[in-house]
Amino acid sequence: MTTDKGAGGGSGLAFPVLDERLSARLQVRLAEVEKALTGHVRSRAGFVTEAASHLMEAGGKRFRPLLVLVAAECGDHPEVDDVITAACVVELTHLASLYHDDVMDEAELRRGSASANARWDNHVAILTGDFLFSKSSELTAELGPDAVRIQAQTFTKLVEGQILETLEPGPDEDPLEHYLDVVAGKTGSLIATSATYGAMFGGASPEVTRALTTYGEVVGTAFQLSDDILDVASDAGVSGKTPGTDLREGVPTLPVLMARASARPEDQRLLELLASDLTEDAPHAEALALLRAHPAMDEARSYVMARAAEAKALLAALPEGPVRHALEGFADLVATRVT
């Protein structure tokens, strides 16, 4: 799962920042983060450096570091070095999780390049992820005990989400709630921590820090869920990915789970297809067409738009200005990309 595909505007940032001075400042700070990351993935062993740099050099929007930097702008001292360190912590944690995700998913590509497990093998990919997690832990220790506690709690949620994703919901468990727990753990938790760190180390008030933490979890989860919708609804030329990829791989995403929950008599054929092997083109195409026409698509859109509105409402704790407008713009982007 990723939450940084196709989010940016003309500025090259991961979400729209319309204020020119704020945008320019953030781009300078992101360049500092990028330079620092290059140093943090270096090892005494050249091969370890090569493997650890592999996905970082493949690109990515750096959404999480950007959120750290934007949240820091809510405080009295957004320019302090700890903000850059915190931005590196969340990006290294994210990168580490991608190495492990690709092993679990047996992925061959990541960001348009060969995944580490495909280029080398699973052992290298797993240990490289471990190396990056350890580097993020070293940096977190520099930020003090509160940061260590938050990072440990985040890591727990992230791993729990990853584990839950591999398990079927229990007999008395709602499959949709199970999936939302997975997304909140795997995606929402680290994005929430990104906002927390930025606000903390930038010197924001406790009230603003709490609001930004909740905003990060809600908007980050909503952005991942919007990817679920785009996977079904978008054409390849628009989304940049093959439509129905999750469907073909049997991943039960938001529209699929909502379609299953509706249990209308006329859905029997769709439900049969969703329970079957969709690796072949013909049944996959049929299932995709039926799902696109199903009311579950509008239900999923409404759910994501409601979460985006919820995230935007949380920003009432922030003063009016370009920072709040940028964060509201990201919530608006989440809502509009599924309509």
Side-chain angles (χ1 to χ4, degrees), residues 151-165:
Q151 176 73 349
Q153 292 170 341
T154 304
F155 192 45
T156 297
K157 292 176 183 176
L158 195 157
V159 174
E160 283 179 343
Q162 183 73 72
I163 293 171
L164 286 174
E165 187 178 39

Side-chain angles (χ1 to χ4, degrees), residues 202-289:
S205 69
E207 179 190 8
V208 168
T209 300
R210 286 192 296 270
L212 285 171
T213 298
T214 308
Y215 166 88
E217 180 171 5
V218 174
V219 79
T221 299
F223 194 71
Q224 174 59 52
L225 295 173
S226 70
D227 270 355
D228 290 358
I229 297 168
L230 293 177
D231 180 67
V232 176
S234 293
D235 295 326
V238 175
S239 67
K241 62 182 287 189
T242 304
T245 298
D246 292 330
L247 197 63
R248 190 182 294 275
E249 294 174 355
V251 178
T253 57
L254 185 66
V256 168
L257 290 167
M258 287 182 165
R260 285 175 173 168
S262 70
R264 303 181 308 167
E266 59 266 42
D267 295 336
Q268 183 176 352
R269 178 56 181 163
L270 173 60
L271 296 178
E272 289 174 357
L273 287 165
L274 293 177
S276 68
D277 181 358
L278 295 177
T279 54
E280 297 295 327
D281 288 345
H284 175 265
E286 184 183 359
L288 186 60

Side-chain angles (χ1 to χ4, degrees), residues 85-209:
T85 301
C88 291
V89 165
V90 296
E91 185 65 7
L92 288 171
T93 302
H94 173 58
L95 286 169
S97 72
L98 297 184
Y99 281 83
H100 288 178
D101 276 355
D102 286 345
V103 171
M104 295 187 68
D105 297 342
E106 299 180 347
E108 296 184 358
L109 291 174
R110 169 70 69 175
R111 295 175 174 172
S113 300
S115 62
N117 46 299
R119 179 170 176 176
W120 292 290
D121 58 34
N122 284 347
H123 293 94
V124 169
I126 291 169
L127 291 171
T128 301
D130 291 345
F131 173 77
L132 292 171
F133 276 128
S134 69
K135 295 298 289 187
S136 70
S137 297
E138 285 182 16
L139 290 176
T140 307
E142 296 178 11
L143 296 173
D146 285 342
V148 170
R149 173 181 52 79
I150 292 168
Q151 176 73 349
Q153 292 170 341
T154 304
F155 192 45
T156 297
K157 292 176 183 176
L158 195 157
V159 174
E160 283 179 343
Q162 183 73 72
I163 293 171
L164 286 174
E165 187 178 39
T166 68
L167 302 175
E168 293 287 336
D172 299 324
E173 190 176 3
D174 181 350
L176 178 57
E177 289 301 319
H178 177 92
Y179 179 65
L180 293 175
D181 284 344
V182 169
V183 175
K186 283 193 62 177
T187 303
S189 62
L190 187 57
I191 293 175
T193 295
S194 301
T196 303
Y197 276 169
M200 278 177 54
F201 296 113
S205 69
E207 179 190 8
V208 168
T209 300

Side-chain angles (χ1 to χ4, degrees), residues 11 13 17-29 66 69-70 73 321-323 326:
S11 67
L13 298 174
V17 179
L18 300 182
D19 183 85
E20 291 183 1
R21 288 189 296 178
L22 176 60
S23 177
R25 191 159 65 245
L26 292 170
Q27 289 183 66
V28 169
R29 297 287 273 166
L66 176 61
L69 299 178
V70 174
E73 294 281 338
V323 174

